[in-house]
Amino acid sequence: MDEQFEKAMAEINHCNKCGFCLPVCPTYRLTGNELDSPRGRIAMVEGMLLDEIEAGDGLEASLSYCLGCRACETACPSGVEFHLIAQAGKEVLDKTRPKHRRITLLPRTLLRMTTNPARMARMARWGRRAAHLPLPGRLKQLVPMLDYVPETVVPAPAPTEYLGEAAFFQGCVQEALFQDANQSAVELLSAVGYQVVSPPSQTCCGALAWHAGRSDEARALARANIAAFEQSGETPVVNTAGGCGAMLSEYDEVLADDPEWAERARRFSQRVRDWTGLLKDMEKPPRFVGTGERIALQNSCHLVNVEGGGEVPAQLLGNVEGDTFVPLTGQDQCCGSAGIYNIQHPDWSMRILDSKMTEVEDENPARMLVVNPGCQLQMTLGMKRCHLDGQVEHLARYLYHAYLRGQEQSARA
Ligand code: SF4
Ligand code: SF4
């Protein structure tokens, strides 16, 4: 903790309390309360680390209501790395709060399941049926987000060129609930010329455990993934889940204080990219053809604010022939899903979602595209809450269909 304390204090001392981060913070925008802002949270953690305030419920609430979206970091003129401060605060809280209150039953069950996609898929199937069970209203309102049946993905046509290799990271929620998104990305990358391998011993990225302050569990998962992907040499490590990608890209930070793993983690993090980055790299981009629809995007805040390359999904959508891409003002802002935030704080999560949905309602797109499984669940719920018919779909599945249409049209021409 000492090194982490030093790092957190260094970041706290960088903060000049200017407040530029406040307007971009979704929770501050919701309440207007300083304690729900990045600056307020920094002040609370500082007080706790300096033993000026007790690690109690006030600080716990302030930190636990933070979405971890990192929008405050991109707005900060002083480059304050807010997440290092928040993480130090969460770890102290996790160690000081009574054991029975460390984490409630549902989040704990979910954390355990992340290393077992098959069990998670079973839970999702059970969850769909739970609509008929007498659940508490705050949980029952979330059930419609599970309304999704993955489609069978047709195999890609044989590639005509070789562009290199890529190692594919599946992600636990993505692979359990939206495996057709993963398969579509792999098929599309393979069709354009990448040789894609998916190391079988990979596991959950550890983001949920890390953000819950359970850093030892997260570090163990990070080590397992690094070892699994070292077998694929120096090839890019690609993923279709912005939240996982952000976590993978920061394994260097997660394991910085581990002398045995720090260098391996640094090399691994340098390899991490969103899968769309490989499409963008292509000298001659593939032809994508739509079906004359209006489409919109809910981007991943972790892809935009942490992993990097968050501009690529919108660029790709702007180049789809036949469809009209409608950029939303808030497309890069957090949807309120944020890992298991919508389960831990459903009221705030729904308020953040509903405010986003006002713009979606105005535009009423036929397809709402997403680049992260948490956003897919949340936006599915948002569309249902607004009684909108538009389909929520992962960008990979949409682009793969558009690619196949492009191939078909080119062959006919
Ligand atoms: S913008 Fe940066 S320096 Fe200003 S209050 Fe926020 S964290 Fe501190
Ligand atoms: S991470 Fe997001 S929710 Fe948390 S303080 Fe920063 S902007 Fe606000």
Side-chain angles (χ1 to χ4, degrees), residues 85-128:
I85 301 169
Q87 193 65 25
K90 283 183 197 170
E91 286 198 27
V92 173
L93 281 171
D94 191 59
K95 289 189 172 73
T96 52
R97 74 169 78 101
K99 204 169 182 180
H100 68 278
R101 288 187 49 219
R102 284 202 178 162
I103 197 154
T104 55
L105 184 63
L106 185 56
R108 188 168 54 217
T109 309
L110 286 171
L111 284 178
R112 286 214 182 113
M113 260 189 302
T114 53
T115 50
N116 189 331
R119 205 183 303 157
M120 189 176 280
R122 274 201 304 279
M123 170 101 169
R125 283 197 294 277
W126 175 85
R128 279 181 208 117

Short mmCIF file of all heavy atoms in Angstrom, two decimals, residues 85-128:
data_model
loop_
_atom_site.label_atom_id
_atom_site.label_comp_id
_atom_site.label_asym_id
_atom_site.label_seq_id
_atom_site.Cartn_x
_atom_site.Cartn_y
_atom_site.Cartn_z
N ILE A 85 -6.13 7.65 -7.62
CA ILE A 85 -6.61 8.17 -6.32
C ILE A 85 -7.80 7.33 -5.85
O ILE A 85 -7.85 6.87 -4.70
CB ILE A 85 -7.01 9.65 -6.47
CG1 ILE A 85 -5.82 10.48 -6.96
CG2 ILE A 85 -7.56 10.19 -5.16
CD1 ILE A 85 -6.17 11.89 -7.40
N ALA A 86 -8.74 7.11 -6.78
CA ALA A 86 -9.94 6.35 -6.41
C ALA A 86 -9.58 4.92 -6.01
O ALA A 86 -10.13 4.37 -5.04
CB ALA A 86 -10.92 6.34 -7.59
N GLN A 87 -8.63 4.33 -6.74
CA GLN A 87 -8.24 2.95 -6.44
C GLN A 87 -7.63 2.84 -5.04
O GLN A 87 -7.93 1.91 -4.29
CB GLN A 87 -7.24 2.44 -7.50
CG GLN A 87 -7.01 0.95 -7.48
CD GLN A 87 -8.25 0.13 -7.83
OE1 GLN A 87 -9.14 0.62 -8.52
NE2 GLN A 87 -8.34 -1.07 -7.32
N ALA A 88 -6.78 3.80 -4.69
CA ALA A 88 -6.17 3.79 -3.35
C ALA A 88 -7.26 3.90 -2.30
O ALA A 88 -7.25 3.19 -1.29
CB ALA A 88 -5.17 4.94 -3.22
N GLY A 89 -8.23 4.77 -2.54
CA GLY A 89 -9.34 4.92 -1.59
C GLY A 89 -10.13 3.63 -1.45
O GLY A 89 -10.46 3.20 -0.34
N LYS A 90 -10.42 2.98 -2.60
CA LYS A 90 -11.23 1.75 -2.56
C LYS A 90 -10.50 0.63 -1.82
O LYS A 90 -11.10 -0.15 -1.10
CB LYS A 90 -11.55 1.29 -3.99
CG LYS A 90 -12.65 2.10 -4.64
CD LYS A 90 -12.93 1.51 -6.01
CE LYS A 90 -13.69 2.47 -6.89
NZ LYS A 90 -13.77 2.01 -8.26
N GLU A 91 -9.19 0.56 -2.04
CA GLU A 91 -8.44 -0.51 -1.38
C GLU A 91 -8.42 -0.32 0.12
O GLU A 91 -8.55 -1.29 0.88
CB GLU A 91 -7.01 -0.58 -1.94
CG GLU A 91 -7.02 -1.18 -3.33
CD GLU A 91 -5.66 -1.66 -3.78
OE1 GLU A 91 -4.83 -2.02 -2.93
OE2 GLU A 91 -5.43 -1.68 -5.00
N VAL A 92 -8.26 0.91 0.58
CA VAL A 92 -8.29 1.15 2.03
C VAL A 92 -9.67 0.78 2.56
O VAL A 92 -9.80 0.10 3.59
CB VAL A 92 -7.97 2.63 2.35
CG1 VAL A 92 -8.17 2.90 3.82
CG2 VAL A 92 -6.55 2.97 1.94
N LEU A 93 -10.70 1.18 1.84
CA LEU A 93 -12.06 0.87 2.29
C LEU A 93 -12.28 -0.63 2.35
O LEU A 93 -12.86 -1.14 3.30
CB LEU A 93 -13.08 1.49 1.33
CG LEU A 93 -13.34 2.98 1.52
CD1 LEU A 93 -14.20 3.50 0.37
CD2 LEU A 93 -14.03 3.25 2.85
N ASP A 94 -11.81 -1.34 1.33
CA ASP A 94 -12.04 -2.79 1.29
C ASP A 94 -11.37 -3.47 2.48
O ASP A 94 -11.87 -4.46 3.00
CB ASP A 94 -11.52 -3.39 -0.02
CG ASP A 94 -11.98 -4.84 -0.19
OD1 ASP A 94 -13.21 -5.06 -0.20
OD2 ASP A 94 -11.14 -5.74 -0.28
N LYS A 95 -10.23 -2.91 2.90
CA LYS A 95 -9.50 -3.55 4.01
C LYS A 95 -10.04 -3.11 5.37
O LYS A 95 -9.90 -3.83 6.35
CB LYS A 95 -8.02 -3.21 3.90
CG LYS A 95 -7.37 -3.93 2.72
CD LYS A 95 -5.88 -3.79 2.69
CE LYS A 95 -5.28 -4.68 1.62
NZ LYS A 95 -5.49 -4.22 0.26
N THR A 96 -10.65 -1.94 5.44
CA THR A 96 -11.05 -1.45 6.77
C THR A 96 -12.51 -1.72 7.10
O THR A 96 -12.87 -1.76 8.26
CB THR A 96 -10.82 0.08 6.88
OG1 THR A 96 -11.45 0.71 5.77
CG2 THR A 96 -9.35 0.41 6.89
N ARG A 97 -13.35 -1.91 6.07
CA ARG A 97 -14.77 -2.12 6.41
C ARG A 97 -14.97 -3.53 6.94
O ARG A 97 -14.19 -4.44 6.60
CB ARG A 97 -15.67 -1.80 5.22
CG ARG A 97 -15.66 -2.81 4.12
CD ARG A 97 -16.78 -2.53 3.12
NE ARG A 97 -16.47 -1.46 2.19
CZ ARG A 97 -16.07 -1.64 0.93
NH1 ARG A 97 -15.87 -2.85 0.46
NH2 ARG A 97 -15.84 -0.62 0.16
N PRO A 98 -15.99 -3.73 7.81
CA PRO A 98 -16.21 -5.07 8.37
C PRO A 98 -16.34 -6.11 7.28
O PRO A 98 -16.90 -5.83 6.21
CB PRO A 98 -17.53 -4.92 9.12
CG PRO A 98 -17.71 -3.46 9.33
CD PRO A 98 -16.99 -2.76 8.22
N LYS A 99 -15.83 -7.31 7.55
CA LYS A 99 -15.77 -8.34 6.51
C LYS A 99 -17.15 -8.62 5.91
O LYS A 99 -17.29 -8.75 4.70
CB LYS A 99 -15.20 -9.63 7.12
CG LYS A 99 -14.59 -10.51 6.09
CD LYS A 99 -13.82 -11.62 6.72
CE LYS A 99 -13.19 -12.45 5.62
NZ LYS A 99 -12.43 -13.54 6.14
N HIS A 100 -18.18 -8.70 6.77
CA HIS A 100 -19.50 -9.06 6.26
C HIS A 100 -20.06 -8.00 5.32
O HIS A 100 -21.01 -8.24 4.60
CB HIS A 100 -20.48 -9.31 7.41
CG HIS A 100 -20.81 -8.06 8.19
ND1 HIS A 100 -19.98 -7.58 9.17
CD2 HIS A 100 -21.85 -7.20 8.10
CE1 HIS A 100 -20.52 -6.48 9.67
NE2 HIS A 100 -21.64 -6.23 9.04
N ARG A 101 -19.49 -6.80 5.34
CA ARG A 101 -20.01 -5.74 4.46
C ARG A 101 -19.12 -5.51 3.25
O ARG A 101 -19.32 -4.57 2.50
CB ARG A 101 -20.11 -4.44 5.25
CG ARG A 101 -21.24 -4.44 6.26
CD ARG A 101 -21.39 -3.07 6.87
NE ARG A 101 -21.44 -2.05 5.84
CZ ARG A 101 -20.86 -0.85 5.96
NH1 ARG A 101 -20.20 -0.54 7.04
NH2 ARG A 101 -20.95 0.03 4.98
N ARG A 102 -18.10 -6.34 3.08
CA ARG A 102 -17.16 -6.04 1.99
C ARG A 102 -17.83 -5.96 0.65
O ARG A 102 -17.55 -5.11 -0.14
CB ARG A 102 -16.03 -7.06 1.97
CG ARG A 102 -15.07 -6.76 3.09
CD ARG A 102 -13.74 -7.33 2.86
NE ARG A 102 -12.94 -6.89 4.00
CZ ARG A 102 -11.82 -7.44 4.36
NH1 ARG A 102 -11.34 -8.43 3.69
NH2 ARG A 102 -11.16 -6.99 5.39
N ILE A 103 -18.70 -6.88 0.40
CA ILE A 103 -19.37 -6.84 -0.90
C ILE A 103 -20.66 -7.64 -0.77
O ILE A 103 -20.69 -8.65 -0.08
CB ILE A 103 -18.45 -7.39 -2.00
CG1 ILE A 103 -18.94 -6.99 -3.36
CG2 ILE A 103 -18.23 -8.86 -1.93
CD1 ILE A 103 -17.81 -6.93 -4.38
N THR A 104 -21.73 -7.16 -1.35
CA THR A 104 -23.01 -7.83 -1.15
C THR A 104 -23.09 -9.09 -1.99
O THR A 104 -22.30 -9.32 -2.90
CB THR A 104 -24.17 -6.90 -1.51
OG1 THR A 104 -23.96 -6.45 -2.83
CG2 THR A 104 -24.26 -5.73 -0.56
N LEU A 105 -24.10 -9.91 -1.69
CA LEU A 105 -24.16 -11.26 -2.26
C LEU A 105 -24.17 -11.27 -3.78
O LEU A 105 -23.41 -12.00 -4.42
CB LEU A 105 -25.40 -11.97 -1.71
CG LEU A 105 -25.55 -13.42 -2.15
CD1 LEU A 105 -24.40 -14.26 -1.64
CD2 LEU A 105 -26.87 -13.98 -1.65
N LEU A 106 -25.02 -10.45 -4.40
CA LEU A 106 -25.14 -10.51 -5.85
C LEU A 106 -23.84 -10.11 -6.56
O LEU A 106 -23.33 -10.85 -7.41
CB LEU A 106 -26.33 -9.64 -6.32
CG LEU A 106 -26.64 -9.72 -7.81
CD1 LEU A 106 -26.89 -11.15 -8.24
CD2 LEU A 106 -27.84 -8.85 -8.13
N PRO A 107 -23.25 -8.95 -6.21
CA PRO A 107 -21.96 -8.63 -6.84
C PRO A 107 -20.89 -9.70 -6.59
O PRO A 107 -20.11 -10.01 -7.46
CB PRO A 107 -21.56 -7.31 -6.18
CG PRO A 107 -22.86 -6.69 -5.79
CD PRO A 107 -23.74 -7.85 -5.39
N ARG A 108 -20.90 -10.31 -5.38
CA ARG A 108 -19.89 -11.33 -5.10
C ARG A 108 -20.09 -12.54 -6.02
O ARG A 108 -19.16 -13.10 -6.57
CB ARG A 108 -19.98 -11.75 -3.63
CG ARG A 108 -18.84 -12.68 -3.21
CD ARG A 108 -18.77 -12.84 -1.72
NE ARG A 108 -20.01 -13.27 -1.14
CZ ARG A 108 -20.48 -12.87 0.04
NH1 ARG A 108 -19.81 -12.00 0.74
NH2 ARG A 108 -21.62 -13.32 0.50
N THR A 109 -21.37 -12.92 -6.19
CA THR A 109 -21.67 -14.06 -7.07
C THR A 109 -21.22 -13.74 -8.49
O THR A 109 -20.62 -14.57 -9.18
CB THR A 109 -23.20 -14.32 -7.07
OG1 THR A 109 -23.62 -14.42 -5.73
CG2 THR A 109 -23.53 -15.60 -7.79
N LEU A 110 -21.49 -12.51 -8.93
CA LEU A 110 -21.10 -12.13 -10.29
C LEU A 110 -19.59 -12.15 -10.46
O LEU A 110 -19.07 -12.61 -11.47
CB LEU A 110 -21.65 -10.73 -10.62
CG LEU A 110 -23.15 -10.68 -10.89
CD1 LEU A 110 -23.62 -9.23 -10.97
CD2 LEU A 110 -23.50 -11.42 -12.16
N LEU A 111 -18.88 -11.64 -9.46
CA LEU A 111 -17.42 -11.64 -9.54
C LEU A 111 -16.88 -13.06 -9.67
O LEU A 111 -15.96 -13.32 -10.43
CB LEU A 111 -16.81 -10.98 -8.30
CG LEU A 111 -16.89 -9.46 -8.24
CD1 LEU A 111 -16.29 -8.95 -6.94
CD2 LEU A 111 -16.17 -8.83 -9.41
N ARG A 112 -17.48 -13.99 -8.92
CA ARG A 112 -17.02 -15.39 -8.99
C ARG A 112 -17.28 -15.98 -10.38
O ARG A 112 -16.52 -16.79 -10.87
CB ARG A 112 -17.75 -16.23 -7.94
CG ARG A 112 -17.25 -15.93 -6.55
CD ARG A 112 -17.29 -17.18 -5.68
NE ARG A 112 -16.85 -16.85 -4.34
CZ ARG A 112 -17.64 -16.88 -3.29
NH1 ARG A 112 -18.90 -17.24 -3.41
NH2 ARG A 112 -17.17 -16.56 -2.12
N MET A 113 -18.38 -15.55 -10.98
CA MET A 113 -18.76 -16.16 -12.26
C MET A 113 -17.91 -15.70 -13.43
O MET A 113 -17.90 -16.34 -14.47
CB MET A 113 -20.22 -15.82 -12.55
CG MET A 113 -21.12 -16.96 -12.19
SD MET A 113 -22.73 -16.66 -12.77
CE MET A 113 -23.13 -15.19 -11.99
N THR A 114 -17.22 -14.59 -13.25
CA THR A 114 -16.52 -14.03 -14.39
C THR A 114 -15.44 -14.96 -14.96
O THR A 114 -15.05 -14.81 -16.09
CB THR A 114 -15.85 -12.68 -14.03
OG1 THR A 114 -15.04 -12.89 -12.88
CG2 THR A 114 -16.88 -11.63 -13.77
N THR A 115 -14.97 -15.88 -14.16
CA THR A 115 -13.95 -16.79 -14.68
C THR A 115 -14.59 -18.04 -15.29
O THR A 115 -13.88 -18.95 -15.70
CB THR A 115 -12.98 -17.22 -13.56
OG1 THR A 115 -13.75 -17.65 -12.45
CG2 THR A 115 -12.09 -16.07 -13.16
N ASN A 116 -15.90 -18.06 -15.37
CA ASN A 116 -16.58 -19.24 -15.90
C ASN A 116 -17.72 -18.81 -16.84
O ASN A 116 -18.89 -18.71 -16.42
CB ASN A 116 -17.13 -20.08 -14.74
CG ASN A 116 -17.65 -21.42 -15.22
OD1 ASN A 116 -18.10 -21.56 -16.35
ND2 ASN A 116 -17.59 -22.41 -14.35
N PRO A 117 -17.40 -18.50 -18.12
CA PRO A 117 -18.43 -18.02 -19.04
C PRO A 117 -19.62 -18.96 -19.18
O PRO A 117 -20.75 -18.50 -19.33
CB PRO A 117 -17.68 -17.89 -20.38
CG PRO A 117 -16.26 -17.70 -19.99
CD PRO A 117 -16.07 -18.50 -18.73
N ALA A 118 -19.39 -20.28 -19.08
CA ALA A 118 -20.51 -21.22 -19.24
C ALA A 118 -21.52 -21.01 -18.11
O ALA A 118 -22.73 -20.97 -18.32
CB ALA A 118 -20.00 -22.65 -19.24
N ARG A 119 -20.99 -20.83 -16.89
CA ARG A 119 -21.88 -20.61 -15.75
C ARG A 119 -22.59 -19.25 -15.90
O ARG A 119 -23.75 -19.09 -15.57
CB ARG A 119 -21.06 -20.63 -14.45
CG ARG A 119 -21.91 -21.01 -13.25
CD ARG A 119 -21.14 -20.97 -11.97
NE ARG A 119 -19.96 -21.82 -11.96
CZ ARG A 119 -18.92 -21.61 -11.16
NH1 ARG A 119 -18.89 -20.60 -10.33
NH2 ARG A 119 -17.88 -22.41 -11.18
N MET A 120 -21.88 -18.29 -16.44
CA MET A 120 -22.48 -16.97 -16.63
C MET A 120 -23.61 -17.03 -17.66
O MET A 120 -24.66 -16.41 -17.49
CB MET A 120 -21.41 -15.98 -17.09
CG MET A 120 -21.90 -14.57 -17.09
SD MET A 120 -20.60 -13.43 -17.50
CE MET A 120 -19.75 -13.28 -15.97
N ALA A 121 -23.40 -17.80 -18.73
CA ALA A 121 -24.45 -17.95 -19.75
C ALA A 121 -25.68 -18.61 -19.15
O ALA A 121 -26.82 -18.22 -19.44
CB ALA A 121 -23.93 -18.76 -20.93
N ARG A 122 -25.46 -19.62 -18.27
CA ARG A 122 -26.60 -20.28 -17.61
C ARG A 122 -27.34 -19.28 -16.74
O ARG A 122 -28.57 -19.23 -16.71
CB ARG A 122 -26.10 -21.45 -16.74
CG ARG A 122 -25.95 -22.75 -17.52
CD ARG A 122 -25.96 -23.96 -16.60
NE ARG A 122 -24.94 -23.92 -15.56
CZ ARG A 122 -23.67 -24.26 -15.75
NH1 ARG A 122 -23.26 -24.67 -16.93
NH2 ARG A 122 -22.80 -24.21 -14.76
N MET A 123 -26.59 -18.45 -16.04
CA MET A 123 -27.22 -17.44 -15.16
C MET A 123 -28.05 -16.46 -15.98
O MET A 123 -29.13 -16.03 -15.57
CB MET A 123 -26.10 -16.69 -14.42
CG MET A 123 -26.59 -15.48 -13.67
SD MET A 123 -26.75 -15.81 -11.92
CE MET A 123 -26.98 -14.15 -11.30
N ALA A 124 -27.54 -16.10 -17.18
CA ALA A 124 -28.29 -15.17 -18.04
C ALA A 124 -29.60 -15.81 -18.49
O ALA A 124 -30.65 -15.16 -18.52
CB ALA A 124 -27.45 -14.77 -19.25
N ARG A 125 -29.53 -17.12 -18.83
CA ARG A 125 -30.77 -17.81 -19.25
C ARG A 125 -31.77 -17.83 -18.11
O ARG A 125 -32.95 -17.58 -18.28
CB ARG A 125 -30.44 -19.24 -19.72
CG ARG A 125 -29.84 -19.29 -21.11
CD ARG A 125 -29.92 -20.69 -21.69
NE ARG A 125 -29.10 -21.64 -20.97
CZ ARG A 125 -27.79 -21.83 -21.18
NH1 ARG A 125 -27.18 -21.14 -22.12
NH2 ARG A 125 -27.11 -22.71 -20.48
N TRP A 126 -31.25 -18.09 -16.91
CA TRP A 126 -32.11 -18.10 -15.74
C TRP A 126 -32.67 -16.68 -15.52
O TRP A 126 -33.85 -16.50 -15.22
CB TRP A 126 -31.30 -18.55 -14.51
CG TRP A 126 -32.10 -18.48 -13.25
CD1 TRP A 126 -32.94 -19.42 -12.77
CD2 TRP A 126 -32.15 -17.37 -12.34
NE1 TRP A 126 -33.51 -18.97 -11.60
CE2 TRP A 126 -33.04 -17.72 -11.31
CE3 TRP A 126 -31.53 -16.12 -12.27
CZ2 TRP A 126 -33.33 -16.87 -10.26
CZ3 TRP A 126 -31.81 -15.28 -11.22
CH2 TRP A 126 -32.70 -15.66 -10.22
N GLY A 127 -31.81 -15.69 -15.71
CA GLY A 127 -32.23 -14.30 -15.51
C GLY A 127 -33.39 -13.92 -16.41
O GLY A 127 -34.31 -13.20 -16.01
N ARG A 128 -33.37 -14.41 -17.68
CA ARG A 128 -34.46 -14.07 -18.61
C ARG A 128 -35.79 -14.60 -18.07
O ARG A 128 -36.82 -13.96 -18.19
CB ARG A 128 -34.19 -14.70 -19.98
CG ARG A 128 -33.22 -13.87 -20.80
CD ARG A 128 -32.98 -14.47 -22.16
NE ARG A 128 -31.65 -14.08 -22.59
CZ ARG A 128 -30.65 -14.92 -22.84
NH1 ARG A 128 -30.83 -16.22 -22.74
NH2 ARG A 128 -29.48 -14.47 -23.19
#
